Amino acid sequence: METNFQNVRVLQSLTSHTSDVTSCDFSTNFVLVTGSSDKTVRVWDWIVGSGYSERSYSPLLGHKYSVTCVKLSPQGCMLASSSVDGTTVLWNMHSGSKIHVFVQINGDAVRVCRFSGDSTILVTASDNGALCVWDVIHKSLVRTVTDSEGTIQSLAFTPDSKYLVSGCSVEKIKIWLVSSLADTTNDFCLPLYSVDNAHDLGILYLDVSKTIDVDGILSDKLVKLFKIHDNMNIDELSFLHLDESHTYPVLHVEFSKSGKMLATCSLDGCAIVWNMSSGLKIFEIPQNSLAVKDCRFSADETMLITVGDDEKAYVWDIVSKSLIVMVQAHLESLTSTSFTPDDKLMVTVCTNGEIKLWNILTGTNIFTELYAHDLGINFCDFSENMEPNPLVQSNGKQNYLLATCGNDSLVKLWLIAYSKASESVTVKNWRTLVGHGGNVMCVRFSPKFSELVCSGATDKQLRVWSVYSGTCIQVLNHDSIVTCCCFNFDCSFLAGGCLDKTLWLWKLPEHLTVELSFTRKIDIRKKDVGEWNNDDVLEWLTGAGLQSLLSKVASFNMDGGKLLTMKDDTIFNELGFDEEEAIQFNKELKRLKEAERTFLNGFRSSELLNVPHRFFCPITHEIMREPVVCADGYTYEKQAINEWFMSGRYTSPMTNETLPNADFYFNNELLNEILEFFNDND
C-alpha cells in the first residue's frame, strides 16, 4: 500500500517543555511520553476529538540534569527515563510514582535505555561505553559490560528478546546474546558479532524490525489437540481441522467444563467455539479490529466471555449466538477474565493492575480494586469450590476465591463475599504467594475443590501451591519462559506451555492426588445422609472398612435416600449379601441411621436444651458428629480438625502451641454421651 505524504499535516503542537525535546515514545494505546533538557518527563493522553492532553501527575520530576531518553515498557505499565545526571528512573505509569532509581556505573551520563520484551530486564548505556544490565524484578545490577570504545548512543532488543543490538560513536554495531548478559556465572561476556565502520561519524540511532518470521517464531496460528493414554503415550488428534481458522497467533484456548466444546481466540480479533465431537464451528463472534486475549466458558456452558485490547468485555449467548451484554471495562487493555462458579458474576483484569467485578445480568460494575498488582495483571481464575474457605461463616453471603498473577512476580488469592440481596461485595487479599523470579504469566486452580493452584512465569518455572497453607509444594523447571499452565480433571497431570514451542507434561506426585481424595471424604460429611449420591455411599463404606461390598453397592446405584427409606431385608436381598456381609452392613447402617436421626433432632432443638458445653467443637461451635482427640488432649469435630491441618496450621486451636504430630483418635466415650443426651431428650 502506497502512502501519500502530500496529505501529511500537523495535528497538534505540544509546547509545555521549556527546552529542547530529546526523546519521545508511544505506547500501544496512543499514550505519548516526552523527555527534555528542561529535566522533566511529560506524559500525554490522546483524547478523541481534542488531541493530546497532559496527565494530572505530569510532569515527572526527579532528574537533576537533562533527560536523554524515555522508554515505555512493552506492556505500557512502566516508564524508564535516563539522564545526564547518571541515573535511570523507573516510573509507575498508572500513578506517576517512582518505582526505583538505577545509578549508572561510575555515575556517567546515561544516553539510552531499553526494556526486554518481557519487561524483566532493563539495559542502560553511558558515555564511557558501559552497558549496565538491570534486573527489573529485584531492582538489582546483573552485569556491567565495558567492551565498547566509544559512547553507546542506541540500543534495541530483537522481538523475541534473544539478542541485544548496540550502536556507538566509533561507528560499531554489536550484537549480544541476552542469556549471556544475564548469566552471572560467567565473568566475561563478549558480543556474538560486530560490524565495524557501519556509519561514518558514528551511530546515533538503530532499531530492529518488530516482525521476524511470524509463522516460525511468534506463532504458527495452529490449535493442536493431544490424547494422553494410561501408559503415558501421547497421540496428536487429527480429526479436528483447526489449522485454517485464525489468521494471526492464537492467544488462548479453553475447554468447556464437560469437554464437549473448545473456544479459541486470536490476535486477529476472532473467537470461535468448536464442537469437539464433529470438529465443526458452533459459533464465531463478530471480528474485532483488535486482539482478543482471553475467552472463558460459563459453568453451565451457555455463555462465553471475550476480552482484549479494545478495553471491553463481551458476554455471548452460545445457544442463540447473540450478545448478552457488553461493558466498557477498563481504560487499558484487558488481559484476562473469568466467571464465578455459579455464573452470577464475572471478573476482568487489565494491564494497569485493576480488578473489576461485574453483575452478568445487568452489566454493572459492583467492585473495583485499583492497585491489585504493580505493573499489571496477566491472568485470573476463579476456584470452582463454592465454599473456598470452610472456616469462614457465610452470613447469608456467597463466598468465592479468585487467583490473579502479574508482572510483580506475585500470585494473589482474593476472598470475595457477595450478597445478592444488597448487591454488596467485600474483597480481601487472603494470601500472597511469593517465589517466582519473573513476570507470572498464568495461574490456574485445580478442578472441583481447588486445593491447589499452579502458576507459570518468565523465570522458566512452573510452581504448584497449596491454597490453604500458601506454601509452594512443587517447583518444576523448564528450558524456556512458561506462558501457560493447567491441571487435568483429576490433578494427576500438570501441563505447561513454553515460549520455545514446547509442551511439558508432568505427572504429579501420588500424595497430592491422595490429598484431593481425602478432601472428598471430608466433603461428604457436610451433607445430610439423605443428600448422598452413590459415590458418597461408597465413600462411607470405605471409611467403615467395608471395601468388600463396594462392587455390589455400586452396581445397585445406592444413594442416601435408599439407605434411609428401604427396609433392611430388601437392601440385603437386592444387593445379594451373604449372612456375614448382611451382619456387617446392618451394624454400620444402624449406627449411621441413629447418628443421623439424633443429630438432625439435636441440631434443631439444641437452642431449646441446656446442651453441655463439651458437646460443641471448639472450632465450629457446633455439636460434634465425629469427636476426635488430638495431640493437645482436646476434642474436636473430625472434619473441622482435618480442615485445620489442611490449611497448613499445625498448632493447637485451643493453646496455639505447636503440635508434635497431626494424629488423632475417636472419642467414643464422648460420642456415646452425646447420643444418650439427645435420646433422653427426644
Side-chain angles (χ1 to χ4, degrees):
M1 182 180 70
E2 294 185 0
T3 301
N4 185 358
F5 289 100
Q6 293 180 349
N7 295 328
V8 175
R9 59 189 176 87
V10 176
L11 291 177
Q12 187 179 7
S13 295
L14 307 176
T15 58
S16 295
H17 285 293
T18 58
S19 185
D20 56 310
V21 177
T22 57
S23 182
C24 61
D25 194 23
F26 281 104
S27 72
T28 54
N29 55 356
F30 306 110
V31 172
L32 171 67
V33 293
T34 56
S36 168
S37 293
D38 64 7
K39 312 175 193 176
T40 67
V41 176
R42 295 182 182 269
V43 182
W44 312 81
D45 288 308
W46 176 256
I47 309 299
V48 177
S50 59
Y52 276 104
S53 175
E54 198 165 356
R55 280 197 183 177
S56 58
Y57 60 67
S58 181
L60 302 176
L61 305 175
H63 290 292
K64 298 178 181 178
Y65 298 105
S66 299
V67 176
T68 55
C69 182
V70 291
K71 194 65 181 177
L72 285 157
S73 64
Q75 289 79 26
C77 303
M78 295 181 290
L79 167 67
S81 61
S82 299
S83 170
V84 176
D85 63 13
T87 66
T88 300
V89 180
L90 197 63
W91 306 88
N92 185 316
M93 280 293 288
H94 185 69
S95 63
S97 59
K98 281 185 185 178
I99 299 173
H100 192 72
V101 178
F102 300 104
V103 180
Q104 194 74 5
I105 191 76
N106 297 327
D108 290 306
V110 184
R111 294 297 169 184
V112 62
C113 58
R114 289 292 184 271
F115 286 98
S116 62
D118 60 5
S119 304
T120 60
I121 293 175
L122 178 70
V123 180
T124 59
S126 61
D127 278 353
N128 69 349
L131 275 177
C132 287
V133 182
W134 305 92
D135 181 339
V136 176
I137 301 298
H138 299 98
K139 316 297 186 296
S140 61
L141 179 64
V142 177
R143 178 191 294 277
T144 300
V145 180
T146 55
D147 183 69
S148 180
E149 300 167 11
T151 299
I152 297 178
Q153 300 178 114
S154 189
L155 296 168
F157 280 95
T158 56
D160 55 7
S161 295
K162 287 186 177 180
Y163 304 100
L164 175 71
V165 185
S166 64
C168 69
S169 59
V170 294
E171 308 171 6
K172 288 186 178 181
I173 294 175
K174 294 184 179 182
I175 301 175
W176 309 81
L177 185 64
V178 174
S179 59
S180 296
L181 289 172
D183 184 4
T184 58
T185 60
N186 295 323
D187 294 333
F188 300 99
C189 182
L190 298 175
L192 289 176
Y193 190 74
S194 180
V195 179
D196 295 333
N197 304 315
H199 285 271
D200 291 340
L201 308 181
I203 299 165
L204 293 177
Y205 195 85
L206 58 82
D207 199 9
V208 177
S209 169
K210 299 299 183 290
T211 303
I212 301 180
D213 186 14
V214 173
D215 286 341
I217 293 180
L218 296 182
S219 173
D220 55 12
K221 300 172 285 187
L222 302 180
V223 177
K224 295 188 177 183
L225 301 171
F226 300 90
K227 183 175 182 179
I228 305 169
H229 299 279
D230 292 338
N231 59 4
M232 293 299 293
N233 288 334
I234 301 176
D235 295 330
E236 183 177 347
L237 303 180
S238 58
F239 67 93
L240 290 177
H241 302 287
L242 309 181
D243 54 340
E244 299 179 357
S245 306
H246 292 289
T247 56
Y248 284 92
V250 177
L251 301 180
H252 187 76
V253 293
E254 185 87 6
F255 278 109
S256 63
K257 192 171 182 179
S258 67
K260 295 179 180 179
M261 292 185 289
L262 174 72
T264 61
C265 61
S266 167
L267 196 64
D268 61 13
C270 284
I272 303 172
V273 179
W274 303 86
N275 184 312
M276 285 299 295
S277 298
S278 64
L280 301 176
K281 291 181 183 179
I282 297 175
F283 176 43
E284 182 172 353
I285 69 166
Q287 186 167 1
N288 196 315
S289 59
L290 297 173
V292 179
K293 290 187 173 179
D294 198 8
C295 53
R296 300 291 184 91
F297 285 102
S298 59
D300 64 5
E301 305 187 6
T302 62
M303 295 181 288
L304 182 79
I305 313 177
T306 59
V307 298
D309 283 345
D310 66 353
E311 303 169 4
K312 299 180 178 69
Y314 303 84
V315 182
W316 306 90
D317 187 316
I318 297 174
V319 179
S320 65
K321 303 178 182 179
S322 60
L323 180 65
I324 298 174
V325 66
M326 182 274 289
V327 295
Q328 179 67 50
H330 299 265
L331 298 178
E332 303 285 349
S333 173
L334 274 68
T335 53
S336 188
T337 185
S338 186
F339 283 101
T340 55
D342 56 4
D343 298 333
K344 287 184 170 58
L345 308 177
M346 68 176 179
V347 64
T348 57
V349 298
C350 72
T351 55
N352 68 2
E354 286 181 351
I355 296 174
K356 288 191 177 183
L357 288 170
W358 306 83
N359 183 308
I360 292 175
L361 294 179
T362 63
T364 54
N365 177 216
I366 58 176
F367 177 81
T368 299
E369 179 75 23
L370 290 177
Y371 305 108
H373 286 263
D374 291 337
L375 315 179
I377 302 174
N378 293 322
F379 207 82
C380 65
D381 194 32
F382 267 114
S383 163
E384 292 182 19
N385 193 345
M386 294 290 286
E387 295 182 25
N389 188 350
L391 302 180
V392 172
Q393 298 296 322
S394 63
N395 296 323
K397 295 183 178 181
Q398 177 58 58
N399 293 314
Y400 308 106
L401 187 60
L402 172 70
T404 59
C405 63
N407 295 323
D408 53 6
S409 306
L410 301 177
V411 174
K412 294 187 178 183
L413 303 181
W414 307 82
L415 270 179
I416 300 171
Y418 170 63
S419 172
K420 183 178 180 181
S422 61
E423 196 75 349
S424 63
V425 177
T426 56
V427 178
K428 174 187 177 183
N429 182 197
W430 185 44
R431 297 198 188 286
T432 298
L433 310 181
V434 181
H436 279 296
N439 300 5
V440 187
M441 307 304 295
C442 184
V443 60
R444 298 304 291 255
F445 280 104
S446 58
K448 201 165 185 178
F449 296 106
S450 304
E451 307 92 332
L452 305 176
V453 67
C454 63
S455 58
T458 58
D459 59 5
K460 304 179 184 179
Q461 288 183 348
L462 186 57
R463 287 177 175 254
V464 181
W465 311 81
S466 167
V467 169
Y468 294 105
S469 68
T471 57
C472 180
I473 53 181
Q474 289 286 323
V475 178
L476 307 171
N477 292 306
H478 296 67
D479 294 337
S480 181
I481 290 172
V482 181
T483 56
C484 56
C485 56
C486 68
F487 294 96
N488 73 327
F489 72 98
D490 64 356
C491 290
S492 56
F493 294 103
L494 176 63
C498 296
L499 194 63
D500 63 358
K501 310 178 194 176
T502 60
L503 175 67
W504 295 55
L505 189 65
W506 301 87
K507 185 171 177 58
L508 293 179
E510 188 175 349
H511 71 83
L512 291 182
T513 55
V514 170
E515 288 180 12
L516 304 189
S517 174
F518 176 65
T519 307
R520 170 65 180 158
K521 294 177 183 178
I522 292 175
D523 186 70
I524 69 167
R525 296 304 300 145
K526 296 178 182 177
K527 302 179 184 178
D528 292 335
V529 175
E531 299 174 349
W532 285 6
N533 57 30
N534 184 244
D535 290 336
D536 297 330
V537 174
L538 297 179
E539 294 281 3
W540 164 67
L541 287 173
T542 302
L546 300 179
Q547 291 91 337
S548 60
L549 306 182
L550 293 179
S551 59
K552 295 180 179 179
V553 175
S555 62
F556 187 67
N557 197 26
M558 176 70 71
D559 58 25
K562 294 176 182 177
L563 275 180
L564 296 178
T565 58
M566 290 179 65
K567 293 182 179 180
D568 294 351
D569 291 342
T570 304
I571 294 177
F572 303 154
N573 293 332
E574 291 286 346
L575 297 179
F577 287 164
D578 59 31
E579 184 177 354
E580 184 178 350
E581 290 174 337
I583 293 173
Q584 291 177 331
F585 186 86
N586 189 44
K587 178 182 177 181
E588 292 299 330
L589 182 59
K590 282 185 176 180
R591 181 183 177 93
L592 178 68
K593 287 182 177 180
E594 181 180 5
E596 188 69 9
R597 178 181 61 83
T598 298
F599 283 110
L600 285 177
N601 291 336
F603 291 140
R604 291 165 185 156
S605 60
S606 59
E607 294 182 0
L608 304 177
L609 299 174
N610 185 20
V611 180
H613 186 267
R614 64 182 182 279
F615 291 179
F616 291 88
C617 172
I619 298 174
T620 65
H621 304 292
E622 295 178 353
I623 299 168
M624 289 180 279
R625 289 174 178 251
E626 297 177 289
V628 294
V629 180
C630 287
D632 60 358
Y634 290 94
T635 299
Y636 307 94
E637 173 62 35
K638 178 184 174 184
Q639 172 193 329
I641 196 64
N642 272 329
E643 290 174 350
W644 179 273
F645 291 145
M646 286 183 65
S647 68
R649 288 176 284 190
Y650 294 98
T651 57
S652 166
M654 295 296 288
T655 67
N656 206 33
E657 294 180 359
T658 302
L659 295 173
N661 55 63
D663 298 336
F664 54 75
Y665 60 89
F666 281 97
N667 191 337
N668 291 317
E669 183 178 347
L670 180 60
L671 177 60
N672 290 331
E673 282 188 58
I674 296 173
L675 294 174
E676 289 175 6
F677 176 84
F678 285 109
N679 284 332
D680 292 342
N681 286 279
D682 268 351

